[in-house]
Amino acid sequence: MTGMRARRSCLAVPGSNPRMMEKAQGLPADQVFLDLEDAVAPVAKAEARRAVISTLNEAVFRAPLRSVRVNDWTTPWTYTDVIDVVGGAGAQIDTLVLPKVLGPEQVVALDLLLTQVEKSHGLEVGRIGIEAQIENAAGLVNVDAIAAASPRLEALVFGPADFMASLNMRSLVVGEQPEGYDVGDAYHYILMRILMAARANDVLAIDGPYLQIKDLEGLQRSAERSAALGFDGKWVLHPDQIEVVNAVYSPRQADYDHAELILDSYAWHTSPEGGARGAVMVGDHMVDEASRKMALTVAAKGRAAGMSRTQSFHAREA
Ligand code: GLV
Ligand code: MG
């Protein structure tokens, strides 16, 4: 994925909690999203919108990406969330997170509304992206169409808590297997389905939150699983979770170095000066065009995460 912006850790911050919004400013997450949805009580929605607007306009976040999660389209709140928050602080917003997406029309509706608000406030049309949360059976069944619904779509995000509720899954512990199911991973199909739709449409795939805040080993296990499949990042709910998640979704230094070495070495050997060969040896591994693509994935994740290589390539030694 070219030009990828890192989204290893996506920090959820309740829009109704000024103290947490203040604290979030200095934290090293790749993305901060201020929440107007499930972390905000219905009676506090209007006040949260005001607090989110003033935070976005006044605060300087260390996180390069700033987002707002609006309420889903089945509530009475979505349109006011968008009109008020984008109208009041649109220049400070990189993406809107749309929860509980049921089908592509809900993404299109948000795209259309965003376009009007951008036009009426003199904002660049189309700059604000959309992230669709897949957190119920309907959303998963329609995930391909959702992923293709708008050029604004940047990411598909798994919402495990709502998803488990939507399926009537017999468990109250997000991130762990439902008791009594001992023949595999109950989330494998869901994660793979989301990943396929994301990759087929060139958008990011983001894993949802791990709710046992104090259990950093459990968080690591849960993150390692989706990272191993190819997911790009994971939501975090607490400052202590950021470091673990950033590390899990960054390539290891040795893998990053090796990926960059493969790219340089392959570029050299396939060039006329290097012999114009299509399959070459890098160390004791055979590298061809398919392995170049695998290396590019690792290198792109490392570059997006700001890593630098610790070895350089010399054509003489290749
Ligand atoms: C997140 O929104 C979830 O439902 O897990
Ligand atoms: Mg949810």
Side-chain angles (χ1 to χ4, degrees):
M1 208 167 292
T2 45
M4 178 165 76
R5 294 197 278 191
R7 259 190 194 72
R8 295 165 304 174
S9 51
C10 314
L11 178 67
V13 186
S16 53
N17 189 324
R19 194 182 48 79
M20 288 173 94
M21 288 199 282
E22 164 107 41
K23 167 109 199 205
Q25 291 171 39
L27 296 175
D30 287 337
Q31 177 186 33
V32 163
F33 78 86
L34 307 181
D35 192 14
L36 296 173
E37 201 222 15
D38 281 357
V40 177
V43 291
K45 299 279 184 197
E47 180 53 34
R49 280 185 203 116
R50 288 191 285 275
V52 163
I53 294 167
S54 60
T55 300
L56 285 169
N57 284 327
E58 285 152 28
V60 178
F61 284 96
R62 184 167 162 197
L65 282 170
R66 292 145 306 168
S67 304
V68 176
R69 177 163 74 166
V70 297
N71 288 278
D72 83 86
W73 279 119
T74 66
T75 69
W77 301 302
T78 323
Y79 77 100
T80 319
D81 290 344
V82 178
I83 292 168
D84 285 9
V85 173
V86 177
Q92 315 304 326
I93 298 173
D94 294 299
T95 67
L96 291 185
V97 180
L98 184 63
K100 302 182 180 64
V101 178
L102 298 170
E105 68 288 348
Q106 297 198 328
V107 175
V108 173
L110 180 59
D111 183 337
L112 293 172
L113 180 56
L114 259 172
T115 300
Q116 275 203 344
V117 179
E118 286 168 338
K119 281 182 182 163
S120 69
H121 286 82
L123 297 163
E124 183 190 337
V125 173
R127 190 192 59 80
I128 297 177
I130 296 175
E131 303 185 33
Q133 275 192 280
I134 304 300
E135 40 186 358
N136 48 49
L140 194 66
V141 165
N142 294 319
V143 70
D144 294 330
I146 291 169
S150 161
R152 292 186 192 261
L153 202 91
E154 293 188 17
L156 296 173
V157 183
F158 177 40
D162 275 302
F163 212 111
M164 288 162 75
S166 150
L167 294 186
N168 293 351
M169 200 179 257
R170 206 173 53 188
S171 170
L172 288 172
V173 188
V174 167
E176 300 302 338
Q177 301 299 317
E179 210 188 315
Y181 189 72
D182 57 2
V183 288
D185 176 359
Y187 307 101
H188 181 75
Y189 170 71
I190 306 170
L191 290 173
M192 272 309 218
R193 192 72 198 78
I194 291 173
L195 185 62
M196 293 302 152
R199 292 296 174 253
N201 291 281
D202 205 18
V203 300
L204 298 177
I206 306 295
D207 193 6
Y210 186 78
L211 271 52
Q212 285 79 252
I213 306 294
K214 295 220 153 68
D215 183 1
L216 293 180
E217 279 173 22
L219 169 71
Q220 170 129 5
R221 269 198 312 276
S222 154
E224 296 274 11
R225 286 191 200 116
S226 69
L229 293 179
F231 271 66
D232 300 292
K234 185 172 178 65
W235 277 15
V236 291
L237 305 173
H238 188 275
D240 292 347
Q241 294 187 320
I242 297 174
E243 202 184 315
V244 174
V245 165
N246 279 350
V248 170
Y249 292 91
S250 303
R252 279 176 295 235
Q253 184 69 46
D255 292 343
Y256 173 68
D257 284 342
H258 192 60
E260 293 285 15
L261 182 70
I262 288 175
L263 292 178
D264 283 350
S265 183
Y266 192 69
W268 162 252
H269 285 294
T270 51
S271 71
E273 317 80 78
R277 283 176 291 145
V280 303
M281 293 302 285
V282 176
D284 49 11
H285 276 85
M286 204 277 298
V287 172
D288 66 0
E289 180 55 27
S291 7
R292 186 191 69 85
K293 292 198 179 83
M294 289 168 67
L296 194 56
T297 304
V298 175
K301 285 193 182 187
R303 290 173 201 165
M307 294 175 76
S308 40
R309 53 200 296 186
T310 55
Q311 300 163 0
S312 47
F313 170 76
H314 302 289
R316 266 176 294 110
E317 297 158 20

